mmCIF file of all heavy atoms in Angstrom:
data_model
loop_
_atom_site.group_PDB
_atom_site.id
_atom_site.type_symbol
_atom_site.label_atom_id
_atom_site.label_comp_id
_atom_site.label_asym_id
_atom_site.label_seq_id
_atom_site.Cartn_x
_atom_site.Cartn_y
_atom_site.Cartn_z
ATOM 1 N N LYS A 16 -4.539 25.267 -12.446
ATOM 2 C CA LYS A 16 -5.765 25.376 -13.259
ATOM 3 C C LYS A 16 -5.514 24.972 -14.712
ATOM 4 O O LYS A 16 -6.398 24.432 -15.370
ATOM 5 C CB LYS A 16 -6.336 26.789 -13.177
ATOM 6 C CG LYS A 16 -5.457 27.862 -13.750
ATOM 7 C CD LYS A 16 -6.017 29.252 -13.534
ATOM 8 C CE LYS A 16 -5.121 30.346 -14.053
ATOM 9 N NZ LYS A 16 -3.734 30.296 -13.699
ATOM 10 N N ASP A 17 -4.302 25.207 -15.208
ATOM 11 C CA ASP A 17 -3.976 24.882 -16.604
ATOM 12 C C ASP A 17 -3.886 23.377 -16.848
ATOM 13 O O ASP A 17 -4.034 22.935 -17.989
ATOM 14 C CB ASP A 17 -2.649 25.536 -17.009
ATOM 15 C CG ASP A 17 -2.686 27.049 -16.931
ATOM 16 O OD1 ASP A 17 -3.785 27.636 -17.093
ATOM 17 O OD2 ASP A 17 -1.623 27.649 -16.705
ATOM 18 N N PHE A 18 -3.633 22.612 -15.813
ATOM 19 C CA PHE A 18 -3.429 21.170 -15.964
ATOM 20 C C PHE A 18 -4.429 20.342 -15.163
ATOM 21 O O PHE A 18 -4.286 19.123 -15.061
ATOM 22 C CB PHE A 18 -1.985 20.815 -15.564
ATOM 23 C CG PHE A 18 -0.974 21.578 -16.358
ATOM 24 C CD1 PHE A 18 -0.330 22.684 -15.815
ATOM 25 C CD2 PHE A 18 -0.702 21.230 -17.667
ATOM 26 C CE1 PHE A 18 0.583 23.412 -16.551
ATOM 27 C CE2 PHE A 18 0.201 21.951 -18.417
ATOM 28 C CZ PHE A 18 0.854 23.048 -17.869
ATOM 29 N N MET A 19 -5.461 21.002 -14.620
ATOM 30 C CA MET A 19 -6.439 20.321 -13.766
ATOM 31 C C MET A 19 -7.193 19.221 -14.507
ATOM 32 O O MET A 19 -7.398 18.134 -13.961
ATOM 33 C CB MET A 19 -7.425 21.330 -13.171
ATOM 34 C CG MET A 19 -8.421 20.703 -12.206
ATOM 35 S SD MET A 19 -7.647 19.915 -10.778
ATOM 36 C CE MET A 19 -7.202 21.363 -9.832
ATOM 37 N N GLU A 20 -7.616 19.477 -15.730
ATOM 38 C CA GLU A 20 -8.378 18.468 -16.467
ATOM 39 C C GLU A 20 -7.554 17.199 -16.685
ATOM 40 O O GLU A 20 -8.031 16.087 -16.463
ATOM 41 C CB GLU A 20 -8.866 19.025 -17.805
ATOM 42 C CG GLU A 20 -9.913 18.163 -18.468
ATOM 43 C CD GLU A 20 -11.162 17.942 -17.611
ATOM 44 O OE1 GLU A 20 -11.590 18.883 -16.910
ATOM 45 O OE2 GLU A 20 -11.701 16.819 -17.642
ATOM 46 N N GLY A 21 -6.296 17.354 -17.082
ATOM 47 C CA GLY A 21 -5.420 16.202 -17.269
ATOM 48 C C GLY A 21 -5.155 15.471 -15.962
ATOM 49 O O GLY A 21 -5.093 14.241 -15.931
ATOM 50 N N HIS A 22 -5.016 16.228 -14.876
ATOM 51 C CA HIS A 22 -4.803 15.623 -13.559
ATOM 52 C C HIS A 22 -6.033 14.801 -13.153
ATOM 53 O O HIS A 22 -5.896 13.676 -12.665
ATOM 54 C CB HIS A 22 -4.519 16.723 -12.526
ATOM 55 C CG HIS A 22 -4.421 16.234 -11.120
ATOM 56 N ND1 HIS A 22 -3.374 15.449 -10.666
ATOM 57 C CD2 HIS A 22 -5.253 16.401 -10.063
ATOM 58 C CE1 HIS A 22 -3.567 15.180 -9.380
ATOM 59 N NE2 HIS A 22 -4.695 15.739 -8.997
ATOM 60 N N LYS A 23 -7.225 15.342 -13.385
ATOM 61 C CA LYS A 23 -8.457 14.608 -13.054
ATOM 62 C C LYS A 23 -8.576 13.332 -13.886
ATOM 63 O O LYS A 23 -9.001 12.295 -13.382
ATOM 64 C CB LYS A 23 -9.682 15.495 -13.266
ATOM 65 C CG LYS A 23 -9.839 16.572 -12.218
ATOM 66 C CD LYS A 23 -11.091 17.394 -12.494
ATOM 67 C CE LYS A 23 -11.316 18.467 -11.460
ATOM 68 N NZ LYS A 23 -12.533 19.255 -11.745
ATOM 69 N N GLU A 24 -8.209 13.397 -15.149
ATOM 70 C CA GLU A 24 -8.248 12.204 -16.010
ATOM 71 C C GLU A 24 -7.242 11.167 -15.514
ATOM 72 O O GLU A 24 -7.527 9.966 -15.513
ATOM 73 C CB GLU A 24 -7.960 12.593 -17.458
ATOM 74 C CG GLU A 24 -9.080 13.399 -18.089
ATOM 75 C CD GLU A 24 -8.722 13.964 -19.451
ATOM 76 O OE1 GLU A 24 -7.603 13.696 -19.956
ATOM 77 O OE2 GLU A 24 -9.562 14.704 -19.999
ATOM 78 N N TRP A 25 -6.061 11.619 -15.107
ATOM 79 C CA TRP A 25 -5.038 10.724 -14.565
ATOM 80 C C TRP A 25 -5.551 10.042 -13.301
ATOM 81 O O TRP A 25 -5.395 8.826 -13.138
ATOM 82 C CB TRP A 25 -3.764 11.530 -14.300
ATOM 83 C CG TRP A 25 -2.710 10.790 -13.559
ATOM 84 C CD1 TRP A 25 -1.798 9.921 -14.089
ATOM 85 C CD2 TRP A 25 -2.452 10.849 -12.153
ATOM 86 N NE1 TRP A 25 -0.984 9.429 -13.086
ATOM 87 C CE2 TRP A 25 -1.369 9.996 -11.882
ATOM 88 C CE3 TRP A 25 -3.026 11.549 -11.091
ATOM 89 C CZ2 TRP A 25 -0.855 9.807 -10.609
ATOM 90 C CZ3 TRP A 25 -2.520 11.370 -9.814
ATOM 91 C CH2 TRP A 25 -1.435 10.504 -9.590
ATOM 92 N N LEU A 26 -6.175 10.810 -12.395
ATOM 93 C CA LEU A 26 -6.759 10.232 -11.185
ATOM 94 C C LEU A 26 -7.818 9.190 -11.525
ATOM 95 O O LEU A 26 -7.818 8.085 -10.974
ATOM 96 C CB LEU A 26 -7.404 11.316 -10.321
ATOM 97 C CG LEU A 26 -6.521 12.107 -9.390
ATOM 98 C CD1 LEU A 26 -7.298 13.263 -8.777
ATOM 99 C CD2 LEU A 26 -5.936 11.232 -8.303
ATOM 100 N N GLN A 27 -8.712 9.525 -12.432
ATOM 101 C CA GLN A 27 -9.784 8.603 -12.791
ATOM 102 C C GLN A 27 -9.232 7.305 -13.369
ATOM 103 O O GLN A 27 -9.743 6.225 -13.075
ATOM 104 C CB GLN A 27 -10.760 9.256 -13.774
ATOM 105 C CG GLN A 27 -12.008 8.421 -14.026
ATOM 106 C CD GLN A 27 -12.789 8.151 -12.743
ATOM 107 O OE1 GLN A 27 -13.116 9.074 -12.009
ATOM 108 N NE2 GLN A 27 -13.080 6.881 -12.457
ATOM 109 N N ALA A 28 -8.177 7.404 -14.158
ATOM 110 C CA ALA A 28 -7.548 6.192 -14.713
ATOM 111 C C ALA A 28 -7.031 5.305 -13.587
ATOM 112 O O ALA A 28 -7.167 4.077 -13.646
ATOM 113 C CB ALA A 28 -6.422 6.574 -15.671
ATOM 114 N N GLY A 29 -6.452 5.904 -12.561
ATOM 115 C CA GLY A 29 -5.975 5.127 -11.409
ATOM 116 C C GLY A 29 -7.107 4.434 -10.682
ATOM 117 O O GLY A 29 -6.985 3.278 -10.260
ATOM 118 N N PHE A 30 -8.252 5.118 -10.533
ATOM 119 C CA PHE A 30 -9.424 4.503 -9.910
ATOM 120 C C PHE A 30 -9.989 3.400 -10.804
ATOM 121 O O PHE A 30 -10.344 2.327 -10.324
ATOM 122 C CB PHE A 30 -10.503 5.555 -9.609
ATOM 123 C CG PHE A 30 -10.246 6.334 -8.352
ATOM 124 C CD1 PHE A 30 -9.756 7.627 -8.412
ATOM 125 C CD2 PHE A 30 -10.496 5.778 -7.099
ATOM 126 C CE1 PHE A 30 -9.520 8.356 -7.249
ATOM 127 C CE2 PHE A 30 -10.260 6.492 -5.932
ATOM 128 C CZ PHE A 30 -9.769 7.788 -6.010
ATOM 129 N N ASP A 31 -10.063 3.666 -12.099
ATOM 130 C CA ASP A 31 -10.611 2.679 -13.036
ATOM 131 C C ASP A 31 -9.793 1.380 -13.046
ATOM 132 O O ASP A 31 -10.350 0.298 -13.234
ATOM 133 C CB ASP A 31 -10.674 3.253 -14.453
ATOM 134 C CG ASP A 31 -11.712 4.351 -14.605
ATOM 135 O OD1 ASP A 31 -12.578 4.517 -13.704
ATOM 136 O OD2 ASP A 31 -11.650 5.073 -15.625
ATOM 137 N N LYS A 32 -8.492 1.480 -12.833
ATOM 138 C CA LYS A 32 -7.615 0.308 -12.817
ATOM 139 C C LYS A 32 -7.608 -0.397 -11.457
ATOM 140 O O LYS A 32 -6.965 -1.430 -11.299
ATOM 141 C CB LYS A 32 -6.186 0.714 -13.179
ATOM 142 C CG LYS A 32 -6.043 1.178 -14.605
ATOM 143 C CD LYS A 32 -4.639 1.684 -14.864
ATOM 144 C CE LYS A 32 -4.534 2.253 -16.278
ATOM 145 N NZ LYS A 32 -3.230 2.903 -16.501
ATOM 146 N N GLY A 33 -8.306 0.164 -10.471
ATOM 147 C CA GLY A 33 -8.351 -0.430 -9.145
ATOM 148 C C GLY A 33 -7.103 -0.172 -8.319
ATOM 149 O O GLY A 33 -6.891 -0.814 -7.293
ATOM 150 N N ILE A 34 -6.288 0.792 -8.746
ATOM 151 C CA ILE A 34 -5.046 1.103 -8.039
ATOM 152 C C ILE A 34 -5.286 2.149 -6.956
ATOM 153 O O ILE A 34 -4.790 2.020 -5.843
ATOM 154 C CB ILE A 34 -3.971 1.584 -9.033
ATOM 155 C CG1 ILE A 34 -3.630 0.441 -10.004
ATOM 156 C CG2 ILE A 34 -2.730 2.081 -8.305
ATOM 157 C CD1 ILE A 34 -2.808 0.865 -11.197
ATOM 158 N N PHE A 35 -6.043 3.189 -7.263
ATOM 159 C CA PHE A 35 -6.323 4.239 -6.290
ATOM 160 C C PHE A 35 -7.582 3.894 -5.516
ATOM 161 O O PHE A 35 -8.616 3.559 -6.103
ATOM 162 C CB PHE A 35 -6.515 5.594 -6.972
ATOM 163 C CG PHE A 35 -5.297 6.125 -7.694
ATOM 164 C CD1 PHE A 35 -5.420 7.158 -8.596
ATOM 165 C CD2 PHE A 35 -4.028 5.617 -7.473
ATOM 166 C CE1 PHE A 35 -4.322 7.665 -9.263
ATOM 167 C CE2 PHE A 35 -2.923 6.109 -8.132
ATOM 168 C CZ PHE A 35 -3.070 7.146 -9.035
ATOM 169 N N LEU A 36 -7.490 3.948 -4.192
ATOM 170 C CA LEU A 36 -8.642 3.689 -3.322
ATOM 171 C C LEU A 36 -9.283 4.975 -2.831
ATOM 172 O O LEU A 36 -10.474 5.003 -2.532
ATOM 173 C CB LEU A 36 -8.210 2.894 -2.084
ATOM 174 C CG LEU A 36 -7.764 1.472 -2.264
ATOM 175 C CD1 LEU A 36 -7.416 0.868 -0.912
ATOM 176 C CD2 LEU A 36 -8.852 0.655 -2.940
ATOM 177 N N LEU A 37 -8.484 6.030 -2.718
ATOM 178 C CA LEU A 37 -8.957 7.263 -2.112
ATOM 179 C C LEU A 37 -8.063 8.394 -2.584
ATOM 180 O O LEU A 37 -6.861 8.208 -2.771
ATOM 181 C CB LEU A 37 -8.850 7.124 -0.588
ATOM 182 C CG LEU A 37 -9.213 8.316 0.266
ATOM 183 C CD1 LEU A 37 -10.059 7.833 1.430
ATOM 184 C CD2 LEU A 37 -7.975 8.999 0.781
ATOM 185 N N SER A 38 -8.662 9.551 -2.818
ATOM 186 C CA SER A 38 -7.870 10.751 -3.103
ATOM 187 C C SER A 38 -8.562 11.946 -2.473
ATOM 188 O O SER A 38 -9.771 11.910 -2.206
ATOM 189 C CB SER A 38 -7.702 10.963 -4.615
ATOM 190 O OG SER A 38 -8.939 11.289 -5.216
ATOM 191 N N GLY A 39 -7.796 12.983 -2.209
ATOM 192 C CA GLY A 39 -8.385 14.175 -1.624
ATOM 193 C C GLY A 39 -7.350 15.271 -1.463
ATOM 194 O O GLY A 39 -6.189 15.117 -1.841
ATOM 195 N N SER A 40 -7.784 16.368 -0.880
ATOM 196 C CA SER A 40 -6.935 17.552 -0.720
ATOM 197 C C SER A 40 -6.177 17.524 0.597
ATOM 198 O O SER A 40 -6.715 17.115 1.625
ATOM 199 C CB SER A 40 -7.798 18.809 -0.769
ATOM 200 O OG SER A 40 -8.430 18.915 -2.020
ATOM 201 N N LEU A 41 -4.927 17.970 0.552
ATOM 202 C CA LEU A 41 -4.144 18.191 1.762
ATOM 203 C C LEU A 41 -4.498 19.584 2.265
ATOM 204 O O LEU A 41 -4.537 20.539 1.488
ATOM 205 C CB LEU A 41 -2.643 18.121 1.463
ATOM 206 C CG LEU A 41 -2.103 16.780 0.963
ATOM 207 C CD1 LEU A 41 -0.619 16.910 0.620
ATOM 208 C CD2 LEU A 41 -2.306 15.695 1.997
ATOM 209 N N GLN A 42 -4.747 19.697 3.539
ATOM 210 C CA GLN A 42 -5.184 20.973 4.111
ATOM 211 C C GLN A 42 -4.048 21.633 4.886
ATOM 212 O O GLN A 42 -3.204 20.935 5.429
ATOM 213 C CB GLN A 42 -6.387 20.726 5.034
ATOM 214 C CG GLN A 42 -7.571 20.106 4.334
ATOM 215 C CD GLN A 42 -8.082 20.930 3.169
ATOM 216 O OE1 GLN A 42 -8.100 22.172 3.223
ATOM 217 N NE2 GLN A 42 -8.490 20.260 2.116
ATOM 218 N N PRO A 43 -4.040 22.941 4.922
ATOM 219 C CA PRO A 43 -4.908 23.865 4.192
ATOM 220 C C PRO A 43 -4.325 24.183 2.818
ATOM 221 O O PRO A 43 -3.217 24.702 2.713
ATOM 222 C CB PRO A 43 -4.923 25.113 5.071
ATOM 223 C CG PRO A 43 -3.574 25.107 5.739
ATOM 224 C CD PRO A 43 -3.200 23.644 5.892
ATOM 225 N N ASN A 44 -5.020 23.820 1.781
ATOM 226 C CA ASN A 44 -4.654 24.127 0.393
ATOM 227 C C ASN A 44 -3.178 23.833 0.108
ATOM 228 O O ASN A 44 -2.464 24.658 -0.447
ATOM 229 C CB ASN A 44 -4.980 25.595 0.084
ATOM 230 C CG ASN A 44 -5.012 25.854 -1.406
ATOM 231 O OD1 ASN A 44 -5.222 24.939 -2.197
ATOM 232 N ND2 ASN A 44 -4.797 27.088 -1.793
ATOM 233 N N ALA A 45 -2.722 22.627 0.510
ATOM 234 C CA ALA A 45 -1.309 22.277 0.387
ATOM 235 C C ALA A 45 -1.017 21.307 -0.751
ATOM 236 O O ALA A 45 0.139 20.997 -1.013
ATOM 237 C CB ALA A 45 -0.819 21.679 1.703
ATOM 238 N N GLY A 46 -2.058 20.807 -1.418
ATOM 239 C CA GLY A 46 -1.867 19.836 -2.489
ATOM 240 C C GLY A 46 -2.879 18.719 -2.355
ATOM 241 O O GLY A 46 -4.020 18.956 -1.970
ATOM 242 N N GLY A 47 -2.455 17.491 -2.671
ATOM 243 C CA GLY A 47 -3.376 16.366 -2.620
ATOM 244 C C GLY A 47 -2.723 15.118 -2.077
ATOM 245 O O GLY A 47 -1.501 15.037 -1.939
ATOM 246 N N GLY A 48 -3.564 14.133 -1.790
ATOM 247 C CA GLY A 48 -3.088 12.853 -1.293
ATOM 248 C C GLY A 48 -3.868 11.716 -1.925
ATOM 249 O O GLY A 48 -5.028 11.882 -2.294
ATOM 250 N N ILE A 49 -3.207 10.584 -2.059
ATOM 251 C CA ILE A 49 -3.804 9.405 -2.696
ATOM 252 C C ILE A 49 -3.388 8.172 -1.905
ATOM 253 O O ILE A 49 -2.245 8.081 -1.445
ATOM 254 C CB ILE A 49 -3.303 9.251 -4.152
ATOM 255 C CG1 ILE A 49 -3.637 10.498 -4.976
ATOM 256 C CG2 ILE A 49 -3.871 7.989 -4.799
ATOM 257 C CD1 ILE A 49 -2.891 10.567 -6.293
ATOM 258 N N VAL A 50 -4.297 7.211 -1.774
ATOM 259 C CA VAL A 50 -3.971 5.894 -1.240
ATOM 260 C C VAL A 50 -4.044 4.928 -2.417
ATOM 261 O O VAL A 50 -5.055 4.884 -3.136
ATOM 262 C CB VAL A 50 -4.944 5.469 -0.118
ATOM 263 C CG1 VAL A 50 -4.648 4.044 0.322
ATOM 264 C CG2 VAL A 50 -4.847 6.434 1.058
ATOM 265 N N ALA A 51 -2.962 4.164 -2.615
ATOM 266 C CA ALA A 51 -2.867 3.258 -3.756
ATOM 267 C C ALA A 51 -2.507 1.848 -3.292
ATOM 268 O O ALA A 51 -1.783 1.679 -2.309
ATOM 269 C CB ALA A 51 -1.818 3.766 -4.741
ATOM 270 N N VAL A 52 -3.026 0.849 -4.014
ATOM 271 C CA VAL A 52 -2.773 -0.559 -3.704
ATOM 272 C C VAL A 52 -2.553 -1.342 -4.995
ATOM 273 O O VAL A 52 -2.764 -0.835 -6.092
ATOM 274 C CB VAL A 52 -3.965 -1.192 -2.937
ATOM 275 C CG1 VAL A 52 -4.131 -0.540 -1.572
ATOM 276 C CG2 VAL A 52 -5.255 -1.102 -3.723
ATOM 277 N N LYS A 53 -2.143 -2.604 -4.828
ATOM 278 C CA LYS A 53 -2.037 -3.568 -5.929
ATOM 279 C C LYS A 53 -0.961 -3.235 -6.952
ATOM 280 O O LYS A 53 -1.069 -3.616 -8.119
ATOM 281 C CB LYS A 53 -3.388 -3.735 -6.646
ATOM 282 C CG LYS A 53 -4.489 -4.255 -5.762
ATOM 283 C CD LYS A 53 -5.756 -4.465 -6.566
ATOM 284 C CE LYS A 53 -6.890 -4.913 -5.678
ATOM 285 N NZ LYS A 53 -8.125 -5.068 -6.401
ATOM 286 N N VAL A 54 0.075 -2.497 -6.535
ATOM 287 C CA VAL A 54 1.192 -2.193 -7.426
ATOM 288 C C VAL A 54 2.488 -2.257 -6.635
ATOM 289 O O VAL A 54 2.494 -2.165 -5.420
ATOM 290 C CB VAL A 54 1.065 -0.791 -8.074
ATOM 291 C CG1 VAL A 54 -0.047 -0.740 -9.090
ATOM 292 C CG2 VAL A 54 0.892 0.297 -7.027
ATOM 293 N N SER A 55 3.581 -2.410 -7.346
ATOM 294 C CA SER A 55 4.906 -2.395 -6.724
ATOM 295 C C SER A 55 5.383 -0.949 -6.590
ATOM 296 O O SER A 55 4.791 -0.027 -7.166
ATOM 297 C CB SER A 55 5.903 -3.174 -7.593
ATOM 298 O OG SER A 55 6.118 -2.474 -8.816
ATOM 299 N N LYS A 56 6.442 -0.770 -5.859
ATOM 300 C CA LYS A 56 7.043 0.562 -5.692
ATOM 301 C C LYS A 56 7.423 1.138 -7.062
ATOM 302 O O LYS A 56 7.162 2.305 -7.352
ATOM 303 C CB LYS A 56 8.270 0.461 -4.778
ATOM 304 C CG LYS A 56 9.035 1.735 -4.600
ATOM 305 C CD LYS A 56 8.426 2.635 -3.569
ATOM 306 C CE LYS A 56 9.373 3.784 -3.274
ATOM 307 N NZ LYS A 56 9.008 4.594 -2.177
ATOM 308 N N GLU A 57 8.028 0.317 -7.902
ATOM 309 C CA GLU A 57 8.439 0.773 -9.228
ATOM 310 C C GLU A 57 7.230 1.182 -10.068
ATOM 311 O O GLU A 57 7.262 2.196 -10.763
ATOM 312 C CB GLU A 57 9.239 -0.316 -9.958
ATOM 313 C CG GLU A 57 10.576 -0.632 -9.316
ATOM 314 C CD GLU A 57 10.472 -1.510 -8.061
ATOM 315 O OE1 GLU A 57 9.451 -2.231 -7.872
ATOM 316 O OE2 GLU A 57 11.411 -1.454 -7.243
ATOM 317 N N GLU A 58 6.163 0.384 -9.984
ATOM 318 C CA GLU A 58 4.961 0.703 -10.753
ATOM 319 C C GLU A 58 4.319 2.004 -10.293
ATOM 320 O O GLU A 58 3.931 2.831 -11.119
ATOM 321 C CB GLU A 58 3.944 -0.439 -10.653
ATOM 322 C CG GLU A 58 4.372 -1.687 -11.391
ATOM 323 C CD GLU A 58 3.497 -2.892 -11.076
ATOM 324 O OE1 GLU A 58 3.116 -3.075 -9.889
ATOM 325 O OE2 GLU A 58 3.197 -3.646 -12.016
ATOM 326 N N ILE A 59 4.227 2.218 -8.982
ATOM 327 C CA ILE A 59 3.590 3.445 -8.503
ATOM 328 C C ILE A 59 4.459 4.653 -8.836
ATOM 329 O O ILE A 59 3.937 5.729 -9.148
ATOM 330 C CB ILE A 59 3.211 3.377 -7.007
ATOM 331 C CG1 ILE A 59 2.162 4.451 -6.674
ATOM 332 C CG2 ILE A 59 4.402 3.494 -6.115
ATOM 333 C CD1 ILE A 59 0.842 4.315 -7.377
ATOM 334 N N GLU A 60 5.766 4.490 -8.819
ATOM 335 C CA GLU A 60 6.647 5.587 -9.225
ATOM 336 C C GLU A 60 6.394 5.976 -10.679
ATOM 337 O O GLU A 60 6.344 7.158 -11.012
ATOM 338 C CB GLU A 60 8.112 5.207 -9.018
ATOM 339 C CG GLU A 60 8.519 5.174 -7.565
ATOM 340 C CD GLU A 60 9.905 4.605 -7.320
ATOM 341 O OE1 GLU A 60 10.481 3.962 -8.225
ATOM 342 O OE2 GLU A 60 10.413 4.798 -6.198
ATOM 343 N N GLU A 61 6.213 4.974 -11.549
ATOM 344 C CA GLU A 61 5.930 5.243 -12.967
ATOM 345 C C GLU A 61 4.566 5.917 -13.130
ATOM 346 O O GLU A 61 4.418 6.851 -13.922
ATOM 347 C CB GLU A 61 5.972 3.948 -13.773
ATOM 348 C CG GLU A 61 7.355 3.365 -13.916
ATOM 349 C CD GLU A 61 7.362 2.006 -14.592
ATOM 350 O OE1 GLU A 61 6.299 1.572 -15.109
ATOM 351 O OE2 GLU A 61 8.429 1.369 -14.598
ATOM 352 N N ILE A 62 3.577 5.442 -12.401
ATOM 353 C CA ILE A 62 2.225 6.004 -12.482
ATOM 354 C C ILE A 62 2.234 7.460 -12.020
ATOM 355 O O ILE A 62 1.674 8.338 -12.692
ATOM 356 C CB ILE A 62 1.231 5.161 -11.656
ATOM 357 C CG1 ILE A 62 1.034 3.796 -12.316
ATOM 358 C CG2 ILE A 62 -0.096 5.890 -11.473
ATOM 359 C CD1 ILE A 62 0.356 2.760 -11.436
ATOM 360 N N VAL A 63 2.871 7.734 -10.899
ATOM 361 C CA VAL A 63 2.923 9.102 -10.369
ATOM 362 C C VAL A 63 3.659 10.025 -11.338
ATOM 363 O O VAL A 63 3.257 11.174 -11.544
ATOM 364 C CB VAL A 63 3.560 9.118 -8.961
ATOM 365 C CG1 VAL A 63 3.859 10.537 -8.505
ATOM 366 C CG2 VAL A 63 2.640 8.415 -7.963
#
Side-chain angles (χ1 to χ4, degrees):
K16 64 185 178 312
D17 298 332
F18 303 101
M19 183 60 75
E20 193 58 38
H22 174 69
K23 287 181 179 180
E24 290 171 3
W25 171 83
L26 277 172
Q27 189 59 53
F30 280 103
D31 291 346
K32 293 175 184 173
I34 296 168
F35 296 165
L36 292 181
L37 177 136
S38 68
S40 298
L41 297 176
Q42 300 302 322
N44 197 23
I49 302 166
V50 175
V52 295
K53 299 183 183 178
V54 290
S55 68
K56 176 82 170 189
E57 294 77 22
E58 290 169 320
I59 199 63
E60 288 172 345
E61 290 174 9
I62 291 166
V63 169

